[in-house]
Structure formats: structure tokens, C-alpha cells
Amino acid sequence: MSSSKMKLGYWKIRGLAEPIRMLLHYAGVDFEEVVYEQGDGPGFDKSCWFDVKFTLGLDFPNLPYLMDGDVKLTQTVSILHYLSAKTGLYPKSSNPADISRYDMIDHVIIDFFFVGIRLCYSPPDAFAANKAAVIERGKDFMKQFSSALGDNKYFAGDDITGTDFLMFEAIDMFVKLDSAFIEQDNLKKYMERIRDLPQLQKYFTSPDSTHNWALNNKHASFR
């Protein structure tokens, strides 16, 4: 294990890095935020990232990225899997079928997440025209998530994992779009359970927390 502080690089928004931040705060990991802030309109300059994108030694340069000593990763799910394993927030089952199921859920969450993200970044007229249909499509995912969760506390049973932080942020984005989005009782309780975690209270409530940042970047129709 490296003695140097981990670095998490991402835009100055919640976005796809927020589940990673939640996991790190939950696990009490000391890390450094490397923040890239998009310029204001009308240009919305992103040179702060593109000027350094290919200079950081990343195999597949992208945001978010995680640097932990010699380990350099991109892609939200890969970073969550790495950190889950490193911090012990990984499914306890050794059954390959169970592990594959949790991995499958992570990728379905990303599909769900991007349904909302694409809406948020669409032009204002398209956002207004398509919002209701996208909300309904999101609710179709929610029926599946509710069935997968069942009576469990978390998606891996009694043990919280990186999957839960990813799920929380994706659902919370849709709740910001429609406050009545969650219709299933088990998912309502699930979201409350995570929001009430003692390890995350400072992160959720501190006025200086990155959790208070916008969901999306400055050129989005919905931030």
C-alpha cells in the first residue's frame, strides 16, 4: 500500500466522481481532490483538462481518474471496484456467480445514470420536450432495481459496497429532476438508509462539502 495520498481527478461537479467520493469519505480515506473547472459560457473552455489529459501517465486518459501510488485508473466502475476491494467494502461472497451479479448491477446503474445525464446535457428545448419520457424510462429501471434489492439492506445483502454509492448518486440525480421519482417503498428506505449513515453525515451536511457542487457541468441544461 502506498504511503502517499490518493488523488481523485474530476470536474468541479458531482457527476461520475460523486460515488467515488462517497466511498472514500465513508471509508475514512484521506485523499486529494484534483479539480478541473470548466470555463463560463459562451465558450465553456475545458483546456484545464485537455491541456494535461495525455501527460498524466494514464493508460486510458479520462475523468474521473484515481492515482494511488503506481496504480492509475480511469472509469468510475473500475475505480469503485478497486477502492471497494482495498477498503473492505466489497461483496463478502466468493461465489463467482454472486460477484458477476454485483458487477452486472454496476453496469446497469451506469446505463441508468446515462439516461439522465444525456437528458441533462441536451439543448434546452430538447430537455423540456423529452424530460417526461426520460423520467418514465428511469422508472422502468427503478422497477428492476427494486426487484433486485428485495428485502435486503444493500444490494449485496447486509454489507454496503461500492455498488450502493453508485446507485445512490444515480437515483439522487433523477430525484433532483423529479422529487416524486421514487415509487417503491424499499428504494425509499434504501436511500434514507444511506443518507443516514453516520460515516457520511459530515460529508452530506458540511457547507464546504463537494456534495454541494452542481450535478453537471456548466454547459448542461440542468445542473
Side-chain angles (χ1 to χ4, degrees):
M1 182 181 295
S2 170
S3 59
S4 61
K5 189 181 293 189
M6 286 186 190
K7 293 182 180 181
L8 175 64
Y10 196 59
W11 298 109
K12 192 178 179 181
I13 59 172
R14 284 168 57 172
L16 294 170
E18 188 65 9
I20 301 167
R21 296 183 186 115
M22 288 177 63
L23 187 155
L24 289 168
H25 283 280
Y26 178 89
V29 176
D30 186 22
F31 70 101
E32 176 186 345
E33 289 264 10
V34 182
V35 179
Y36 301 92
E37 185 171 7
Q38 183 181 36
D40 294 329
F44 298 115
D45 180 67
K46 294 183 178 180
S47 61
C48 60
W49 163 239
F50 289 115
D51 285 353
V52 301
K53 180 176 180 178
F54 296 102
T55 68
L56 302 175
L58 299 166
D59 289 334
F60 301 98
N62 209 341
L63 295 175
Y65 65 71
L66 182 81
M67 296 185 180
D68 183 22
D70 293 333
V71 176
K72 296 184 178 183
L73 296 172
T74 53
Q75 300 298 325
T76 298
V77 169
S78 296
I79 294 170
L80 284 171
H81 285 185
Y82 171 76
L83 291 173
S84 294
K86 182 163 184 170
T87 60
L89 300 176
Y90 204 68
K92 300 303 186 286
S93 174
S94 60
N95 185 334
D98 290 339
I99 300 301
S100 295
R101 180 176 182 272
Y102 305 139
D103 184 63
M104 174 181 68
I105 293 172
D106 287 340
H107 287 88
V108 175
I109 298 170
I110 290 293
D111 289 344
F112 168 62
F113 214 158
F114 270 93
V115 168
I117 289 172
R118 281 191 291 269
L119 172 69
C120 293
Y121 282 96
S122 62
D125 55 344
F127 175 84
N130 296 325
K131 179 180 176 181
V134 170
I135 293 296
E136 290 307 309
R137 187 177 175 198
K139 288 182 178 180
D140 289 339
F141 278 90
M142 292 290 278
K143 294 173 186 176
Q144 298 173 39
F145 294 146
S146 177
S147 178
L149 179 63
D151 295 328
N152 293 321
K153 288 177 64 177
Y154 303 108
F155 278 87
D158 290 335
D159 302 313
I160 194 166
T161 68
T163 295
D164 298 297
F165 302 115
L166 183 61
M167 183 71 79
F168 179 90
E169 183 63 14
I171 293 176
D172 198 47
M173 178 191 63
F174 273 93
V175 170
K176 296 291 191 293
L177 288 164
D178 177 3
S179 61
F181 179 71
I182 307 175
E183 297 176 340
Q184 296 81 9
D185 286 342
N186 65 337
L187 289 176
K188 289 178 181 178
K189 293 176 182 177
Y190 170 81
M191 294 293 284
E192 292 170 0
R193 188 174 299 122
I194 294 178
R195 199 176 293 280
D196 290 342
L197 287 167
Q199 298 92 329
L200 289 177
Q201 290 313 294
K202 182 178 179 181
Y203 183 62
F204 283 148
T205 61
S206 171
D208 299 325
S209 173
T210 56
H211 189 69
N212 296 319
W213 288 355
L215 295 172
N216 301 303
N217 236 328
K218 295 179 182 180
H219 64 289
S221 292
F222 183 88
R223 296 200 64 206

Short mmCIF file of all heavy atoms in Angstrom, two decimals, residues 43-82:
data_model
loop_
_atom_site.label_atom_id
_atom_site.label_comp_id
_atom_site.label_asym_id
_atom_site.label_seq_id
_atom_site.Cartn_x
_atom_site.Cartn_y
_atom_site.Cartn_z
N GLY A 43 -18.16 30.17 -24.17
CA GLY A 43 -17.14 29.26 -24.66
C GLY A 43 -17.04 27.95 -23.91
O GLY A 43 -16.68 26.92 -24.48
N PHE A 44 -17.33 27.96 -22.60
CA PHE A 44 -17.25 26.77 -21.74
C PHE A 44 -15.91 26.04 -21.93
O PHE A 44 -15.86 24.84 -22.18
CB PHE A 44 -18.42 25.82 -22.03
CG PHE A 44 -19.77 26.42 -21.74
CD1 PHE A 44 -20.67 26.65 -22.78
CD2 PHE A 44 -20.14 26.78 -20.46
CE1 PHE A 44 -21.92 27.19 -22.53
CE2 PHE A 44 -21.38 27.33 -20.20
CZ PHE A 44 -22.28 27.55 -21.23
N ASP A 45 -14.84 26.77 -21.77
CA ASP A 45 -13.49 26.26 -22.02
C ASP A 45 -13.15 25.09 -21.11
O ASP A 45 -13.41 25.13 -19.90
CB ASP A 45 -12.48 27.40 -21.82
CG ASP A 45 -11.07 26.94 -22.07
OD1 ASP A 45 -10.75 26.61 -23.22
OD2 ASP A 45 -10.28 26.89 -21.10
N LYS A 46 -12.58 24.03 -21.69
CA LYS A 46 -12.17 22.85 -20.94
C LYS A 46 -10.67 22.59 -21.03
O LYS A 46 -10.20 21.49 -20.75
CB LYS A 46 -12.92 21.61 -21.45
CG LYS A 46 -14.42 21.63 -21.21
CD LYS A 46 -15.04 20.33 -21.68
CE LYS A 46 -16.54 20.29 -21.42
NZ LYS A 46 -17.15 19.02 -21.90
N SER A 47 -9.91 23.63 -21.41
CA SER A 47 -8.48 23.43 -21.62
C SER A 47 -7.75 23.05 -20.34
O SER A 47 -6.68 22.43 -20.40
CB SER A 47 -7.86 24.70 -22.22
OG SER A 47 -8.02 25.81 -21.35
N CYS A 48 -8.31 23.38 -19.17
CA CYS A 48 -7.67 22.99 -17.91
C CYS A 48 -7.46 21.49 -17.84
O CYS A 48 -6.48 21.01 -17.24
CB CYS A 48 -8.50 23.48 -16.72
SG CYS A 48 -10.18 22.82 -16.66
N TRP A 49 -8.36 20.72 -18.46
CA TRP A 49 -8.22 19.27 -18.52
C TRP A 49 -7.50 18.82 -19.78
O TRP A 49 -6.55 18.05 -19.73
CB TRP A 49 -9.58 18.59 -18.41
CG TRP A 49 -9.60 17.16 -18.86
CD1 TRP A 49 -10.35 16.60 -19.85
CD2 TRP A 49 -8.83 16.07 -18.32
NE1 TRP A 49 -10.11 15.27 -19.99
CE2 TRP A 49 -9.17 14.91 -19.06
CE3 TRP A 49 -7.87 15.97 -17.32
CZ2 TRP A 49 -8.58 13.66 -18.81
CZ3 TRP A 49 -7.29 14.72 -17.07
CH2 TRP A 49 -7.65 13.59 -17.80
N PHE A 50 -7.93 19.32 -20.93
CA PHE A 50 -7.37 18.82 -22.19
C PHE A 50 -5.88 19.16 -22.34
O PHE A 50 -5.16 18.43 -23.02
CB PHE A 50 -8.18 19.34 -23.37
CG PHE A 50 -9.54 18.70 -23.47
CD1 PHE A 50 -10.68 19.45 -23.29
CD2 PHE A 50 -9.66 17.33 -23.70
CE1 PHE A 50 -11.94 18.85 -23.36
CE2 PHE A 50 -10.91 16.73 -23.78
CZ PHE A 50 -12.05 17.48 -23.61
N ASP A 51 -5.43 20.22 -21.69
CA ASP A 51 -4.00 20.57 -21.76
C ASP A 51 -3.11 19.56 -21.04
O ASP A 51 -1.91 19.48 -21.32
CB ASP A 51 -3.76 21.97 -21.18
CG ASP A 51 -4.20 23.08 -22.11
OD1 ASP A 51 -4.57 22.79 -23.27
OD2 ASP A 51 -4.20 24.25 -21.67
N VAL A 52 -3.68 18.83 -20.09
CA VAL A 52 -2.87 17.88 -19.31
C VAL A 52 -3.31 16.43 -19.49
O VAL A 52 -2.68 15.52 -18.97
CB VAL A 52 -2.91 18.23 -17.80
CG1 VAL A 52 -2.39 19.63 -17.56
CG2 VAL A 52 -4.33 18.08 -17.22
N LYS A 53 -4.38 16.22 -20.23
CA LYS A 53 -5.01 14.89 -20.34
C LYS A 53 -4.03 13.78 -20.67
O LYS A 53 -4.10 12.69 -20.07
CB LYS A 53 -6.12 14.96 -21.40
CG LYS A 53 -6.86 13.64 -21.62
CD LYS A 53 -8.01 13.81 -22.61
CE LYS A 53 -8.74 12.51 -22.83
NZ LYS A 53 -9.89 12.67 -23.76
N PHE A 54 -3.12 14.03 -21.60
CA PHE A 54 -2.22 12.96 -22.05
C PHE A 54 -0.83 13.07 -21.43
O PHE A 54 0.13 12.48 -21.93
CB PHE A 54 -2.14 12.99 -23.58
CG PHE A 54 -3.46 12.68 -24.24
CD1 PHE A 54 -4.22 13.71 -24.77
CD2 PHE A 54 -3.94 11.39 -24.31
CE1 PHE A 54 -5.45 13.45 -25.37
CE2 PHE A 54 -5.16 11.11 -24.90
CZ PHE A 54 -5.92 12.14 -25.43
N THR A 55 -0.73 13.77 -20.31
CA THR A 55 0.58 13.96 -19.66
C THR A 55 0.65 13.27 -18.29
O THR A 55 1.67 13.38 -17.61
CB THR A 55 0.87 15.46 -19.45
OG1 THR A 55 -0.04 16.01 -18.48
CG2 THR A 55 0.74 16.23 -20.76
N LEU A 56 -0.40 12.59 -17.88
CA LEU A 56 -0.51 12.08 -16.51
C LEU A 56 -0.14 10.61 -16.37
O LEU A 56 -0.20 10.06 -15.27
CB LEU A 56 -1.93 12.31 -15.99
CG LEU A 56 -2.41 13.77 -16.00
CD1 LEU A 56 -3.87 13.86 -15.58
CD2 LEU A 56 -1.55 14.60 -15.06
N GLY A 57 0.20 9.96 -17.47
CA GLY A 57 0.58 8.56 -17.40
C GLY A 57 -0.60 7.61 -17.28
O GLY A 57 -0.43 6.46 -16.85
N LEU A 58 -1.78 8.06 -17.68
CA LEU A 58 -2.97 7.22 -17.65
C LEU A 58 -3.03 6.36 -18.91
O LEU A 58 -2.82 6.86 -20.02
CB LEU A 58 -4.23 8.08 -17.54
CG LEU A 58 -4.35 8.97 -16.31
CD1 LEU A 58 -5.45 10.02 -16.50
CD2 LEU A 58 -4.63 8.13 -15.07
N ASP A 59 -3.35 5.07 -18.76
CA ASP A 59 -3.45 4.20 -19.92
C ASP A 59 -4.61 4.61 -20.83
O ASP A 59 -4.51 4.54 -22.06
CB ASP A 59 -3.65 2.74 -19.48
CG ASP A 59 -2.41 2.14 -18.85
OD1 ASP A 59 -1.30 2.62 -19.17
OD2 ASP A 59 -2.55 1.22 -18.03
N PHE A 60 -5.70 5.01 -20.23
CA PHE A 60 -6.89 5.43 -20.96
C PHE A 60 -7.36 6.77 -20.38
O PHE A 60 -8.29 6.80 -19.55
CB PHE A 60 -7.99 4.37 -20.86
CG PHE A 60 -7.57 3.03 -21.39
CD1 PHE A 60 -7.12 2.03 -20.53
CD2 PHE A 60 -7.61 2.77 -22.75
CE1 PHE A 60 -6.71 0.80 -21.02
CE2 PHE A 60 -7.21 1.53 -23.25
CZ PHE A 60 -6.75 0.55 -22.38
N PRO A 61 -6.71 7.87 -20.78
CA PRO A 61 -6.98 9.16 -20.14
C PRO A 61 -8.45 9.56 -20.19
O PRO A 61 -9.08 9.55 -21.25
CB PRO A 61 -6.12 10.12 -20.97
CG PRO A 61 -5.02 9.28 -21.53
CD PRO A 61 -5.67 7.96 -21.82
N ASN A 62 -8.98 9.88 -19.02
CA ASN A 62 -10.38 10.28 -18.91
C ASN A 62 -10.61 10.79 -17.50
O ASN A 62 -9.76 10.65 -16.62
CB ASN A 62 -11.31 9.08 -19.19
CG ASN A 62 -12.64 9.50 -19.77
OD1 ASN A 62 -13.04 10.66 -19.65
ND2 ASN A 62 -13.35 8.57 -20.38
N LEU A 63 -11.77 11.39 -17.29
CA LEU A 63 -12.22 11.79 -15.97
C LEU A 63 -13.47 11.01 -15.61
O LEU A 63 -14.34 10.82 -16.48
CB LEU A 63 -12.53 13.29 -15.94
CG LEU A 63 -11.34 14.25 -16.16
CD1 LEU A 63 -11.83 15.69 -16.24
CD2 LEU A 63 -10.31 14.10 -15.05
N PRO A 64 -13.58 10.52 -14.38
CA PRO A 64 -12.63 10.67 -13.27
C PRO A 64 -11.41 9.75 -13.43
O PRO A 64 -11.47 8.76 -14.14
CB PRO A 64 -13.46 10.26 -12.05
CG PRO A 64 -14.44 9.26 -12.60
CD PRO A 64 -14.79 9.75 -13.96
N TYR A 65 -10.35 10.13 -12.72
CA TYR A 65 -9.21 9.24 -12.60
C TYR A 65 -8.82 9.14 -11.13
O TYR A 65 -9.11 10.02 -10.32
CB TYR A 65 -8.02 9.70 -13.45
CG TYR A 65 -7.37 11.02 -13.07
CD1 TYR A 65 -6.61 11.16 -11.90
CD2 TYR A 65 -7.49 12.13 -13.89
CE1 TYR A 65 -6.00 12.37 -11.56
CE2 TYR A 65 -6.88 13.34 -13.57
CZ TYR A 65 -6.15 13.45 -12.40
OH TYR A 65 -5.55 14.64 -12.07
N LEU A 66 -8.19 8.01 -10.80
CA LEU A 66 -7.67 7.79 -9.45
C LEU A 66 -6.21 7.43 -9.56
O LEU A 66 -5.82 6.59 -10.39
CB LEU A 66 -8.41 6.66 -8.74
CG LEU A 66 -7.95 6.40 -7.31
CD1 LEU A 66 -8.60 7.40 -6.35
CD2 LEU A 66 -8.26 4.97 -6.86
N MET A 67 -5.38 8.10 -8.74
CA MET A 67 -3.96 7.75 -8.65
C MET A 67 -3.66 7.34 -7.22
O MET A 67 -3.90 8.11 -6.29
CB MET A 67 -3.09 8.94 -9.06
CG MET A 67 -3.27 9.36 -10.51
SD MET A 67 -2.11 10.67 -10.97
CE MET A 67 -2.58 10.94 -12.69
N ASP A 68 -3.16 6.13 -7.07
CA ASP A 68 -2.82 5.60 -5.75
C ASP A 68 -1.45 4.95 -5.86
O ASP A 68 -1.32 3.77 -6.17
CB ASP A 68 -3.88 4.57 -5.32
CG ASP A 68 -3.62 4.01 -3.93
OD1 ASP A 68 -2.91 4.68 -3.14
OD2 ASP A 68 -4.14 2.92 -3.62
N GLY A 69 -0.41 5.76 -5.64
CA GLY A 69 0.94 5.26 -5.86
C GLY A 69 1.14 4.95 -7.33
O GLY A 69 0.91 5.79 -8.20
N ASP A 70 1.53 3.71 -7.62
CA ASP A 70 1.75 3.30 -9.01
C ASP A 70 0.46 2.92 -9.72
O ASP A 70 0.47 2.70 -10.94
CB ASP A 70 2.72 2.10 -9.06
CG ASP A 70 4.12 2.47 -8.60
OD1 ASP A 70 4.49 3.65 -8.73
OD2 ASP A 70 4.83 1.57 -8.10
N VAL A 71 -0.62 2.84 -8.99
CA VAL A 71 -1.92 2.48 -9.59
C VAL A 71 -2.56 3.73 -10.16
O VAL A 71 -2.75 4.72 -9.46
CB VAL A 71 -2.85 1.84 -8.54
CG1 VAL A 71 -4.22 1.56 -9.14
CG2 VAL A 71 -2.24 0.56 -7.99
N LYS A 72 -2.87 3.68 -11.45
CA LYS A 72 -3.55 4.79 -12.12
C LYS A 72 -4.73 4.24 -12.90
O LYS A 72 -4.55 3.45 -13.83
CB LYS A 72 -2.58 5.53 -13.05
CG LYS A 72 -1.41 6.19 -12.34
CD LYS A 72 -0.53 6.98 -13.30
CE LYS A 72 0.61 7.68 -12.56
NZ LYS A 72 1.43 8.51 -13.49
N LEU A 73 -5.91 4.65 -12.49
CA LEU A 73 -7.14 4.10 -13.07
C LEU A 73 -8.06 5.19 -13.57
O LEU A 73 -8.09 6.29 -13.02
CB LEU A 73 -7.90 3.27 -12.01
CG LEU A 73 -7.22 2.03 -11.46
CD1 LEU A 73 -8.04 1.47 -10.30
CD2 LEU A 73 -7.05 0.97 -12.55
N THR A 74 -8.82 4.87 -14.61
CA THR A 74 -9.94 5.68 -15.04
C THR A 74 -11.16 4.76 -15.13
O THR A 74 -11.04 3.55 -14.96
CB THR A 74 -9.68 6.33 -16.42
OG1 THR A 74 -9.29 5.32 -17.36
CG2 THR A 74 -8.57 7.37 -16.33
N GLN A 75 -12.32 5.39 -15.36
CA GLN A 75 -13.63 4.73 -15.44
C GLN A 75 -14.20 4.50 -14.03
O GLN A 75 -13.58 3.85 -13.18
CB GLN A 75 -13.59 3.40 -16.20
CG GLN A 75 -13.13 3.55 -17.64
CD GLN A 75 -14.05 4.42 -18.48
OE1 GLN A 75 -15.26 4.42 -18.30
NE2 GLN A 75 -13.47 5.18 -19.41
N THR A 76 -15.37 5.04 -13.82
CA THR A 76 -15.99 5.06 -12.49
C THR A 76 -16.12 3.67 -11.88
O THR A 76 -15.76 3.45 -10.72
CB THR A 76 -17.38 5.73 -12.57
OG1 THR A 76 -17.21 7.09 -13.00
CG2 THR A 76 -18.08 5.70 -11.22
N VAL A 77 -16.64 2.72 -12.64
CA VAL A 77 -16.86 1.38 -12.09
C VAL A 77 -15.55 0.71 -11.72
O VAL A 77 -15.42 0.09 -10.66
CB VAL A 77 -17.68 0.51 -13.06
CG1 VAL A 77 -17.69 -0.95 -12.62
CG2 VAL A 77 -19.11 1.03 -13.17
N SER A 78 -14.53 0.84 -12.57
CA SER A 78 -13.23 0.24 -12.26
C SER A 78 -12.64 0.84 -10.99
O SER A 78 -12.07 0.12 -10.15
CB SER A 78 -12.27 0.46 -13.43
OG SER A 78 -12.72 -0.21 -14.58
N ILE A 79 -12.76 2.16 -10.84
CA ILE A 79 -12.24 2.82 -9.64
C ILE A 79 -13.01 2.36 -8.41
O ILE A 79 -12.41 2.06 -7.36
CB ILE A 79 -12.32 4.35 -9.80
CG1 ILE A 79 -11.37 4.82 -10.91
CG2 ILE A 79 -11.98 5.05 -8.48
CD1 ILE A 79 -11.55 6.27 -11.31
N LEU A 80 -14.31 2.26 -8.52
CA LEU A 80 -15.12 1.78 -7.39
C LEU A 80 -14.76 0.35 -7.00
O LEU A 80 -14.68 0.02 -5.82
CB LEU A 80 -16.61 1.88 -7.72
CG LEU A 80 -17.23 3.28 -7.67
CD1 LEU A 80 -18.65 3.24 -8.23
CD2 LEU A 80 -17.24 3.83 -6.24
N HIS A 81 -14.53 -0.50 -7.99
CA HIS A 81 -14.15 -1.89 -7.69
C HIS A 81 -12.81 -1.94 -6.97
O HIS A 81 -12.64 -2.70 -6.00
CB HIS A 81 -14.09 -2.71 -8.98
CG HIS A 81 -15.43 -3.06 -9.54
ND1 HIS A 81 -15.60 -3.87 -10.65
CD2 HIS A 81 -16.69 -2.70 -9.15
CE1 HIS A 81 -16.89 -4.00 -10.91
NE2 HIS A 81 -17.56 -3.30 -10.02
N TYR A 82 -11.87 -1.16 -7.44
CA TYR A 82 -10.54 -1.12 -6.81
C TYR A 82 -10.65 -0.64 -5.36
O TYR A 82 -10.11 -1.28 -4.43
CB TYR A 82 -9.62 -0.21 -7.61
CG TYR A 82 -8.30 0.07 -6.94
CD1 TYR A 82 -7.28 -0.88 -6.93
CD2 TYR A 82 -8.06 1.30 -6.33
CE1 TYR A 82 -6.06 -0.61 -6.32
CE2 TYR A 82 -6.84 1.57 -5.71
CZ TYR A 82 -5.85 0.61 -5.70
OH TYR A 82 -4.64 0.87 -5.09
#
